């Protein structure tokens, strides 16, 4: 169950090596991602989330942009805090939807994931 972004980019190499060594690799990911894409080197099991690709990209871009804005320390701190809260809320919603997906959880349990 990878985390999108740089974590995934690092993990992707490891998954490719595991596959080359004969392991069956299953990746569980939300339908809305920045970098996690299907590959012939692993099986993808996806689940829905309560936000769109556009919403996710908009929130991440706004968060990154805010990090480089000018202004007083307090203004910047509050903007970064709000951006982190939005990104964190998205992560929590993602986890909740994964755990509430009974079909996917059943698959994971039966396959001893």
């Amino acid at each position: 169950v990878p985390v999108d972004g740089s974590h995934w980019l690092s993990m992707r190499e490891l998954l490719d090596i595991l596959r080359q060594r004969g392991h069956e690799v299953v990746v569980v990911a939300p339908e809305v991602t920045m970098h996690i894409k299907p590959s012939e080197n692993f099986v993808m099991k996806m689940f829905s989330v309560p936000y769109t690709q556009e919403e996710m990209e908009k929130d991440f871009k706004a968060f990154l942009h805010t990090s480089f804005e000018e202004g007083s320390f307090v203004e910047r701190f509050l903007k970064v805090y709000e951006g982190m809260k939005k990104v964190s809320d998205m992560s929590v919603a993602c986890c909740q939807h994964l755990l509430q997906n009974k079909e996917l959880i059943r698959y994971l349990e039966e396959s001893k994931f």
Side-chain angles (χ1 to χ4, degrees), residues 9-63:
L9 299 176
S10 299
M11 182 184 258
R12 177 71 195 266
E13 271 187 62
L14 177 65
L15 299 181
D16 291 343
I17 292 168
L18 287 170
R19 179 69 177 148
Q20 289 171 4
R21 293 183 180 177
H23 295 276
E24 178 186 3
V25 178
V26 177
V27 172
V28 177
E31 290 176 336
V32 174
T33 69
M34 290 187 298
H35 300 289
I36 304 170
K37 304 296 180 217
S39 167
E40 60 189 35
N41 288 335
F42 52 81
V43 174
M44 287 266 313
K45 293 292 183 181
M46 302 185 92
F47 57 95
S48 64
V49 289
Y51 49 86
T52 66
Q53 186 78 32
E54 293 78 23
E55 291 169 324
M56 181 194 64
E57 288 175 6
K58 183 184 114 208
D59 286 346
F60 271 96
K61 284 180 185 175
F63 174 67

Side-chain angles (χ1 to χ4, degrees), residues 46-97:
M46 302 185 92
F47 57 95
S48 64
V49 289
Y51 49 86
T52 66
Q53 186 78 32
E54 293 78 23
E55 291 169 324
M56 181 194 64
E57 288 175 6
K58 183 184 114 208
D59 286 346
F60 271 96
K61 284 180 185 175
F63 174 67
L64 292 175
H65 178 69
T66 300
S67 301
F68 297 103
E69 283 185 357
E70 299 211 8
S72 74
F73 173 77
V74 174
E75 289 173 329
R76 289 181 304 148
F77 177 83
L78 291 174
K79 286 181 180 181
V80 169
Y81 173 78
E82 285 301 317
M84 288 179 71
K85 186 171 178 345
K86 282 184 180 182
V87 172
S88 294
D89 289 347
M90 211 176 288
S91 294
V92 168
C94 180
C95 291
Q96 288 173 331
H97 275 71

